[in-house]
Amino acid sequence: MSALGILGGTFDPIHFGHLRLAQEMAEGIGLSEVRFVPAGCPPHRAPPAASAPHRLAMVERAVAANPLFCVDPREIERGGPCYTVDTLCGLRAELGATRPLCLLMGADAFLGLATWHRWQEIFDLAHVAVAFRPGFPEGAWMDTMPEALRTMLRTRRETDPAALRQGAAGRVYAQPITPLDISASRIRSALEAGRNPRYLLPDAVLDYIQRHQLYVRPPRQTPTPGA
Ligand code: ATP
């Protein structure tokens, strides 16, 4: 049965690091589809700078040309704090018990996994597929990992990506991808500082950002004389 990948993120904004992660993990594992799931109100971090409808629109533009990719707006439509485990429960109910489901994430996100809401239940619902990204390389991964994750990996680690297509959930697989040291926070900082983040994200996304004047620092109020 064809395996489905899920890439959750704030996508504030989406950039080539996200897109290459999805493309290379899809090819490495043999996924038939990757769904991008923009977070509505991520519980683990500060509120996103761009609104949920803007972030959704940017993801739609970024994935439009790739037949392997699509957008799943369920977390944004649900509103409120959304937990990955709830999203996976919803997907599992739709897909049935046997379709392989792979939750894709960068190694930085994986290192925080043991702090996620009902994190251990994630493995009943999906595989976890980890991409090594710059700053979080394969060599340093195990050393910096919390004990709870290290213990979990002893029974769940899988080195053969084909195994992820043969079972519905429960394995953890990791692979290196082309290192692209791109982050949404640095793109936002560049825009705020008036620099152009061109070539770090798709042109269609940059056009959207410029058209809607996203990530622009509001001009400082000059005090009224005598006020
Ligand atoms: P921010 O800089 O605002 O923290 P981000 O660029 O890390 O954002 P997120 O939306 O938080 O983007 O990331 C979504 C997922 O994509 C996470 O699993 C993260 O590890 C992964 N990811 C983000 N940037 C990269 C990158 N350059 N290479 C590989 N994976 C990445």
Side-chain angles (χ1 to χ4, degrees):
M1 209 181 293
S2 67
L4 171 66
I6 300 293
L7 179 61
T10 333
F11 303 127
D12 189 23
I14 189 165
H15 54 69
F16 285 134
H18 300 127
L19 294 162
R20 281 308 302 175
L21 179 152
Q23 182 69 32
E24 293 189 33
M25 296 304 280
E27 287 167 355
I29 302 167
L31 303 173
S32 60
E33 180 186 341
V34 178
R35 288 193 199 172
F36 288 68
V37 186
C41 183
H44 289 97
R45 51 191 294 166
S51 69
H54 279 317
R55 291 182 292 108
L56 179 60
M58 290 189 278
V59 177
E60 282 169 351
R61 278 156 181 76
V63 306
N66 189 335
L68 194 60
F69 293 170
C70 67
V71 186
D72 188 328
R74 71 183 62 217
E75 292 194 358
I76 282 178
E77 285 170 359
R78 194 167 57 211
C82 37
Y83 296 103
T84 300
V85 68
D86 296 328
T87 301
L88 293 175
C89 276
L91 281 163
R92 185 48 82 196
E94 288 164 25
L95 299 169
T98 53
R99 180 147 183 213
L101 187 56
C102 297
L103 180 64
L104 311 179
M105 63 182 76
D108 57 317
F110 181 82
L111 288 178
L113 187 67
T115 65
W116 292 15
H117 184 56
R118 291 161 45 209
W119 70 278
Q120 307 222 9
E121 290 174 43
I122 287 174
F123 302 102
D124 299 331
L125 298 161
H127 301 297
V128 172
V130 182
F132 296 112
R133 63 182 285 195
F136 299 88
E138 191 166 0
W141 198 48
M142 286 303 263
D143 303 340
T144 47
M145 193 177 292
E147 191 52 40
L149 291 182
R150 211 191 303 261
T151 307
M152 176 276 294
L153 273 189
R154 275 188 211 118
T155 52
R156 297 199 180 277
R157 184 93 192 248
E158 181 56 69
T159 51
D160 177 9
L164 272 60
R165 300 194 308 274
Q166 283 148 16
R171 313 304 297 162
V172 178
Y173 166 75
Q175 75 170 48
I177 57 170
T178 304
L180 293 175
D181 195 2
I182 303 174
S183 71
S185 34
R186 264 190 275 141
I187 291 174
R188 293 194 300 274
S189 304
L191 285 158
E192 280 179 17
R195 294 193 305 275
N196 193 333
R198 204 170 173 198
Y199 312 124
L200 298 176
L201 71 177
D203 284 345
V205 176
L206 185 55
D207 288 348
Y208 185 92
I209 289 172
Q210 289 169 338
R211 193 149 25 91
H212 294 274
Q213 303 203 331
L214 304 182
Y215 311 116
V216 178
R217 203 188 290 264
R220 273 221 219 118
Q221 299 282 339
T222 35
T224 324

